[in-house]
Amino acid sequence: MSDAPFTHPPTGRPPDAIPMVEARSVHKAYGRLEVLQGIDMTVQRGEVLCLIGPSGSGKSTFLRCINHLEKIDGGELEVDGELVGYRQSGNRLYELKDREVCGKRAEIGMVFQRFNLFPHLSVRDNITSGPMWVKKAPSGPSRDRARQLLDRVGLADKVDAYPNQLSGGQQQRVAIARALAMDPKLMLFDEPTSALDPELVGDVLDVMRSLADEGMTMIVVTHEIGFAREVGDTVVFMDGGVVVEQGDPVQVLTDPQHERTRSFLAKVL
Amino acid sequence: MTIVPVRHPWRWATSVMVLVLVAMLVNTLLFSHVVRGGTREGRFQWAVVGHYLFAAPVLRGVVVTLELTVIAMVAGVLIGVVLAVMRLSPNRLLSGSAWLYIWFFRGTPVLVQLTFWYVGISYLYTHLTLGVPFGAALVTLNSTTLVTSFVAGALGLSLNEGAYMSEIVRAGIISVDDGQTEAAASLGMTKGLTMRRIVLPQAMRIIIPPTGNETISMLKTTSLVSVISGVDLFQATQNISSANYEVVPLLVVASIWYLFFTSVLTVGQFYVERYYARGASRALPPTPFQRFRQSLGHVRMRPAPALSEVPWVAPHE
C-alpha cells in the first residue's frame, strides 16, 4: 500500500545491511476485526520513525507486535534480522518459549501512554528492576546506573520517591529511564505524551529528542506532529490498518499525497 | 462580632446515657455479688478466673490453638495462591479443577469436613500408601495412628481455608492493572517473575485486610477441633469446668485468651497493611504512636486566637 517508496536512509547515517525492524504484510485481527491489514515497514538502525494516524488505525497494535505483546496472524515481522516470536529452522517455524520471548523483549525498550511504573517500588527500584531481576546484574552498578539515567532525564533528586509522588511528566521520564536501563537496541514509544498535561509534554519530548540525537533507533506512536516533523527521520501515516503514506516528515506533513492524510492533518494541526 | 458555636444537646444526652451504661457494666462485672448455695460471692468470680488463667492445661490449650491457627493460615495462604493462579490460568483443566476444589470446600461446613478427616479417612483408607500411582508402594502407614485429632484438625482447617484464601488472592491479583504486567513483560520479565515481584506485592494491599479477618476468624474456628477430641484452648477450659463445675469463670478464661490474641492480630494487621501501602498513598497512615505525638504537637502549636476575637476574655487595659 505504500506508494511513496522508502527512499532515503536516515540523514548522515550509512544504511546497514540488516534493518532494525522489517515488516512484510503483517496482519492482525481481533476476532473478525482486522486491525492490521498488511503492514510493510522498514526501520533502519539509528532511524527515528514516527507513526501517526487516527485512533483505531492500528498504530499501537503494530508497535505492540514488535515486542510480541501481541501475536501477529500473518506476514513476517523481523527485529534485528530475527523473526518475532518464532525461530526458523529449515522450512519450519518454531514458536518461541516464554523465556525466549522474554529474552527478545529485554532488548527492546517500551514506553507506555499510561507510564505503567511499578507503584510499590521506589523510582530507583523501578529502574533497577530490569537489570537486577532479568539480567541478574549486581545491585551496586545497577544503582549507579539508575542514578546516571535519572540525572540524564533531569530527575536526579527523585531517586527515593515513589511514582505517585511524581507528576505525569516526571513519571514518564522515569519510565524512559527504566527502559534505557536495559540498554535496548530499539525503543518503542506508545503515545508517550498523550496522558500528560500540556505544560509537561515538553520535558518528555526533550528527553526523547536527546535520545534521537544520540542515535537510538526509535519508533514513536504520537500525536505530536511538531515532534514528528522535527525529530523524525520518517513519518508513517496509518489509517484503517494499512500504511497510507510514508516518507520524509516535511514532505508527508506539509505536502501529503493522499486525501486521507490531508484530512487527518487538517484536523490535528 | 461574637461567634456562637452550634450547640449539640443530643450529644450530651447520649453521652450521659452511655456513661450510665458503662457504670452499670463495670458494677456488674466487678462489684456485684450473688448468693450461690448459701454463700455470698462475687458474681463473676474473678478469683477463680485468675486462678485458671495461667493454669498448665489452659496454657497447653493456648499452644494448640495457636499452632492450629498458624498452620492453617500459612497452609491456607499457600494453597490459596496456588489455586488463585490456577483459576486465572488459560488452561481450562487447571482453572476447572481449582473451581471444583473451591466449590467443594466452600460448599460443605467446616465442622463436617473436620469430622470427615478425623473419622472418615481411617474408615475409608485403613492404610495410606506413598508410591508410584497404580504401582509399587514405597511407604505404607496406618491411618489411625497417622491421622490424630491434631493432624485431622490442621488438615481440615488448612484445606478449607485454602478455598477461601484463593478467592481473596484472586481478587487481589485481578485488581492489579494489566499495564503492570505489560510493563514487566516489556522489560523481559517472565510470567513467574512478574507474578512474584510485580503483581503479588501490589495485590497484597487488597489481600491483607480480608486475610487479617480470616486469621482472626481462624483463631476462633480452631475451637471446632474440640468435636474431634482435640484439646485446644476451648476444650482445655471445658475439661476443667466439667470437673469443678466452674463453667462461667472458665468460659471467661477462654474468652480472655481469645480476645488477647485477636487484639495482637489486629495490631499486627495495621503494621502489615502500612508496609504494603508504600507507594499506594502519598503519605503512609500514621501509627497510633505517631498520631498521639501529632495530637500533642497540635495542641501545643495551635496559634492563640487574637484576644479581641475571644469575647469571654476581658481585653487588657
Side-chain angles (χ1 to χ4, degrees):
Chain A
M1 286 296 290
S2 51
D3 290 7
F6 184 69
T7 48
H8 67 296
T11 43
R13 300 183 193 97
D16 203 296
I18 310 169
M20 185 57 85
V21 177
E22 174 105 65
R24 287 184 292 272
S25 186
V26 168
H27 283 74
K28 168 78 190 170
Y30 295 115
R32 294 181 61 193
L33 179 71
E34 284 200 55
V35 190
L36 301 179
Q37 303 178 24
I39 302 291
D40 295 296
M41 207 180 289
T42 306
V43 185
Q44 303 293 348
R45 279 152 208 282
E47 180 178 353
V48 177
L49 182 140
C50 293
L51 269 173
I52 60 169
S55 48
S57 60
K59 322 179 288 287
S60 290
T61 305
F62 178 67
L63 199 71
R64 293 158 59 83
C65 288
I66 294 172
N67 67 354
H68 212 239
L69 284 178
E70 305 283 352
K71 210 169 165 180
I72 64 173
D73 299 328
E76 280 170 42
L77 184 55
E78 287 182 2
V79 171
D80 206 5
E82 291 178 3
L83 285 173
V84 174
Y86 298 92
R87 184 162 32 83
Q88 191 167 8
S89 180
N91 56 357
R92 286 194 182 175
L93 289 182
Y94 295 92
E95 212 170 317
L96 293 184
K97 295 191 190 96
D98 185 39
R99 190 164 289 278
E100 294 170 310
V101 171
C102 288
K104 296 281 177 71
R105 285 195 189 123
E107 300 175 344
I108 304 173
M110 185 157 189
V111 175
F112 300 86
Q113 181 177 359
R114 303 276 330 149
F115 327 135
N116 296 348
L117 289 179
F118 306 131
H120 61 302
L121 301 179
S122 68
V123 163
R124 178 196 286 113
D125 293 346
N126 262 278
I127 299 174
T128 58
S129 64
M132 283 175 62
W133 298 344
V134 176
K135 288 187 175 174
K136 312 285 181 206
S139 82
S142 303
R143 284 160 158 257
D144 293 344
R145 185 79 208 291
R147 194 173 277 280
Q148 285 167 17
L149 286 166
L150 274 179
D151 195 31
R152 168 180 181 162
V153 298
L155 294 169
D157 55 330
K158 300 291 186 191
V159 196
D160 293 311
Y162 280 89
N164 69 359
Q165 296 168 326
L166 305 179
S167 73
Q170 291 170 331
Q171 288 190 48
Q172 193 61 298
R173 284 183 279 155
V174 172
I176 295 173
R178 179 177 69 177
L180 291 177
M182 294 295 283
D183 297 315
K185 56 187 179 189
L186 167 67
M187 284 285 285
L188 309 174
F189 293 85
D190 189 3
E191 303 198 25
T193 58
S194 296
L196 298 179
D197 290 339
E199 80 268 24
L200 303 175
V201 169
D203 291 336
V204 173
L205 292 184
D206 284 345
V207 170
M208 290 167 63
R209 189 175 290 118
S210 78
L211 261 183
D213 290 343
E214 287 169 27
M216 175 65 77
T217 312
M218 295 161 59
I219 304 179
V220 186
V221 172
T222 187
H223 294 295
E224 297 288 332
I225 303 299
F227 177 84
R229 175 165 36 212
E230 190 195 334
V231 181
D233 297 306
T234 313
V235 163
V236 175
F237 174 70
M238 280 177 70
D239 191 14
V242 295
V243 171
V244 175
E245 187 164 357
Q246 62 178 334
D248 178 73
V250 178
Q251 187 254 310
V252 173
L253 295 171
T254 54
D255 184 25
Q257 303 299 303
H258 286 258
E259 177 49 37
R260 273 196 283 179
T261 319
R262 265 196 289 276
S263 67
F264 172 76
L265 288 172
K267 279 180 208 145
V268 296
L269 283 178
Chain B
M1 275 301 191
T2 311
I3 298 166
V4 183
V6 178
R7 305 287 175 196
H8 300 284
W10 282 107
R11 281 190 198 168
W12 286 99
T14 48
S15 302
V16 168
M17 278 157 64
V18 168
L19 280 177
V20 169
L21 287 172
V22 168
M24 286 169 71
L25 182 66
V26 170
N27 181 54
T28 193
L29 281 177
L30 298 181
F31 304 115
S32 68
H33 289 79
V34 67
V35 178
R36 289 192 193 97
T39 355
R40 188 171 177 275
E41 52 186 13
R43 194 184 293 272
F44 275 83
Q45 294 163 286
W46 290 105
V48 182
V49 171
H51 182 256
Y52 285 108
L53 193 55
F54 297 102
V58 172
L59 292 182
R60 279 198 294 274
V62 166
V63 170
V64 170
T65 291
L66 288 182
E67 282 173 347
L68 281 173
T69 307
V70 170
I71 291 172
M73 282 314 295
V74 170
V77 168
L78 292 177
I79 295 171
V81 171
V82 172
L83 283 176
V85 172
M86 279 171 69
R87 270 209 76 181
L88 294 168
S89 158
N91 183 332
R92 295 288 285 275
L93 192 64
L94 285 181
S95 66
S97 46
W99 182 89
L100 200 68
Y101 180 102
I102 296 162
W103 170 79
F104 180 79
F105 283 98
R106 282 205 311 190
T108 51
V110 68
L111 187 56
V112 173
Q113 289 173 30
L114 286 175
T115 316
F116 175 81
W117 290 118
Y118 187 54
V119 184
I121 285 294
S122 316
Y123 173 74
L124 291 174
Y125 307 96
T126 50
H127 292 86
L128 295 174
T129 307
L130 247 158
V132 187
F134 305 108
L138 299 175
V139 191
T140 300
L141 295 160
N142 189 331
S143 301
T144 28
T145 49
L146 182 70
V147 186
T148 63
S149 63
F150 185 86
V151 170
L155 188 69
L157 293 172
S158 302
L159 294 176
N160 186 258
E161 190 55 32
Y164 284 93
M165 281 309 303
S166 80
E167 289 296 276
I168 292 172
V169 173
R170 190 171 68 94
I173 290 175
I174 59 182
S175 77
V176 178
D177 183 37
D178 280 346
Q180 294 292 307
T181 318
E182 285 190 357
S186 78
L187 288 169
M189 294 189 197
T190 57
K191 284 178 187 148
L193 180 64
T194 305
M195 184 54 75
R196 244 178 334 109
R197 294 285 205 165
I198 305 299
V199 176
L200 280 179
Q202 293 183 60
M204 287 307 262
R205 278 190 62 240
I206 305 293
I207 293 173
I208 282 167
T211 304
N213 222 11
E214 289 291 311
T215 312
I216 286 170
S217 175
M218 179 57 73
L219 188 79
K220 298 175 297 175
T221 308
T222 52
S223 61
L224 291 181
V225 300
S226 56
V227 300
I228 54 169
S229 63
V231 186
D232 70 316
L233 169 57
F234 177 60
Q235 188 58 42
T237 58
Q238 289 289 95
N239 288 347
I240 296 170
S241 60
S242 64
N244 67 6
Y245 303 111
E246 302 277 18
V247 177
V248 173
L250 280 145
L251 286 177
V252 173
V253 166
S255 302
I256 289 174
W257 278 112
Y258 283 119
L259 278 172
F260 172 72
F261 286 115
T262 51
S263 309
V264 170
L265 286 172
T266 307
V267 173
Q269 184 183 342
F270 174 83
Y271 283 95
V272 177
E273 273 180 34
R274 196 168 175 276
Y275 175 80
Y276 281 104
R278 285 166 316 152
S281 45
R282 291 188 185 209
L284 288 176
T287 62
F289 181 66
Q290 286 170 339
R291 207 176 302 160
F292 176 68
R293 281 185 50 185
Q294 265 170 14
S295 68
L296 285 185
H298 186 65
V299 170
R300 232 181 279 130
M301 294 188 310
R302 183 185 292 166
L307 285 181
S308 60
E309 290 169 10
V310 185
W312 56 88
V313 175
H316 290 276
E317 294 301 322

